[in-house]
């Protein structure tokens, strides 16, 4: 699905602030990407569909996209503030907010700090804090990203990023190409992003969320266990849960279903009419 000519104009702003992407027309939708990703890498496959009915606004974290690498450790507060600043620059007083992976913690922090502005919250592959397994994996990820051995980095990250089913479906040639692409596309700031993953803890923010919330759990995730994702839903009053049978990269394994879950929930929160049976209340 592609945006019409009237909604597909894309602006990218660079300079002292974070690089900002704004595309489409309609109600504002803020997007927060994941660690080792970017706006294009994480939301690119679904961005045209999102922009068909919304003004999608996002920023690239330091060291990804066109944003220079930071000179100090990243914080959730800074990333959340930069995302809100992008909304302000686009004239969006209120907005929906969608976060993916580390971006889910950024979105939670922003929603907890600006409850009157957030009309809907969508969290995909979220975590409020890394558990021991995820922390250990992130520590190795951080070490390899810091070493700049991109081949080893790709060989470590890919089995965590893709579901076992998706990984096993690759031919030897496809696997080699995917490893090469993963190595070549790793942002300069990956180690900084992963350092923040290790330090993330937004458990105290969850109770402050007042916006209608959808948690999309990636049920075959090898990086953020589904149980850890369900903890996020359990901590937000009234949160609903939808499942997608992918690894940590729904935009790579099943972008069509991921897009439908997002757009259906947005349509429901905007109109009050349920558009599909794809989600249920958190237990």
């Amino acid at each position: 699905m592609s945006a019409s000519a009237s909604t597909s104009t894309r602006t990218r702003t660079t300079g002292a602030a974070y690089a900002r992407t704004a595309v489409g027309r309609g109600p504002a939708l803020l997007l927060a990407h994941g660690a080792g990703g970017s706006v294009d890498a994480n939301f690119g496959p679904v961005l045209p569909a999102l922009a068909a009915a919304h003004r999608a606004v996002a920023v690239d974290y330091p060291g990804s996209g066109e944003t220079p690498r930071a000179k100090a450790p990243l914080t959730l507060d800074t990333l959340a503030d930069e995302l809100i600043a992008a909304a302000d620059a686009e004239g969006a007083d209120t907005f929906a907010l969608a976060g993916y992976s580390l971006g889910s913690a950024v979105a939670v922090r922003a929603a907890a700090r600006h409850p009157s502005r957030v009309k809907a919250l969508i969290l995909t592959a979220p975590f409020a804090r890394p558990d021991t397994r995820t922390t250990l994996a992130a520590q190795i990820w951080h070490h390899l990203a810091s070493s700049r051995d991109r081949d080893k980095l790709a060989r470590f990250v890919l089995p965590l990023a893709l579901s076992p089913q998706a990984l096993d479906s690759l031919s030897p040639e496809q696997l080699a190409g995917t490893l090469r692409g993963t190595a070549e596309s790793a942002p300069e700031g990956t180690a900084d992003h992963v350092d923040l993953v290790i330090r993330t803890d937004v458990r105290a923010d969850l109770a402050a969320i007042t916006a209608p919330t959808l948690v999309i759990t990636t049920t075959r995730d090898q990086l953020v266990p589904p149980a850890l994702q369900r903890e996020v839903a359990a901590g937000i009053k009234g949160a609903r849960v939808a499942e997608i049978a992918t690894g940590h990269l729904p935009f790579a394994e099943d972008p069509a279903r991921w897009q439908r879950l997002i757009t259906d929930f947005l349509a429901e929160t905007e109109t009050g009419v349920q558009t599909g049976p794809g989600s249920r209340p958190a237990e």
Side-chain angles (χ1 to χ4, degrees):
M1 180 176 180
S2 61
S4 67
S6 63
T7 63
S8 62
T9 300
R10 184 167 185 175
T11 61
R12 293 189 65 90
T13 304
T14 58
Y18 289 21
R20 182 173 79 249
T21 294
V23 56
R25 292 182 182 174
L29 169 63
L30 305 191
L31 306 173
H33 70 76
S38 66
V39 177
D40 283 338
N42 294 167
F43 291 103
V46 298
L47 194 56
L50 298 181
H54 295 85
R55 181 66 169 171
V57 179
V59 296
D60 287 310
Y61 303 158
S64 66
E66 298 178 11
T67 303
R69 190 171 181 181
K71 297 181 180 179
L74 302 180
T75 68
L76 290 177
D77 286 345
T78 298
L79 297 183
D81 287 348
E82 289 289 347
L83 191 57
I84 297 300
D88 293 340
E90 292 295 323
D93 294 329
T94 60
F95 41 77
L97 183 51
Y100 161 71
S101 192
L102 174 62
S104 68
V106 174
V108 164
R109 178 59 52 84
R113 293 174 68 174
H114 303 276
S116 65
R117 300 184 67 180
V118 180
K119 299 307 181 184
L121 182 64
I122 301 170
L123 308 173
T124 300
F127 58 94
R129 49 88 194 185
D131 61 5
T132 302
R133 181 179 180 276
T134 303
T135 297
L136 291 173
Q139 288 171 342
I140 299 173
W141 186 9
H142 179 270
H143 172 74
L144 292 173
S146 300
S147 73
R148 297 186 177 275
D149 188 334
R150 292 297 188 247
D151 180 66
K152 286 184 180 178
L153 175 64
R155 291 176 183 277
F156 174 75
V157 169
L158 192 62
L160 295 175
L162 292 180
S163 67
Q165 295 85 345
L167 195 63
D168 286 342
S169 72
L170 298 176
S171 68
E173 294 78 14
Q174 290 172 326
L175 177 59
T178 302
L179 285 168
R180 184 167 56 252
T182 301
E184 293 174 351
S185 64
E188 180 186 7
T190 295
D192 302 331
H193 302 174
V194 179
D195 174 66
L196 181 55
V197 168
I198 296 169
R199 294 184 284 110
T200 288
D201 190 342
V202 294
R203 285 175 288 182
D205 295 285
L206 298 179
I209 302 300
T210 59
T213 300
L214 175 66
V215 173
I216 302 174
T217 60
T218 43
T219 61
R220 298 173 178 174
D221 203 316
Q222 306 299 298
L223 180 60
V224 179
L228 199 59
Q229 301 181 41
R230 289 192 290 269
E231 283 185 9
V232 174
I236 300 175
K237 185 177 180 180
R240 290 163 55 178
V241 176
E243 296 183 346
I244 184 169
T246 70
H248 196 64
L249 310 181
F251 46 85
E253 293 189 37
D254 196 350
R257 172 161 171 77
W258 189 38
Q259 173 258 304
R260 287 196 302 271
L261 289 172
I262 294 172
T263 53
D264 284 355
F265 186 71
L266 290 173
E268 180 180 340
T269 57
E270 290 162 3
T271 65
V273 177
Q274 187 167 350
T275 56
S279 62
R280 64 179 189 278
E283 299 177 354

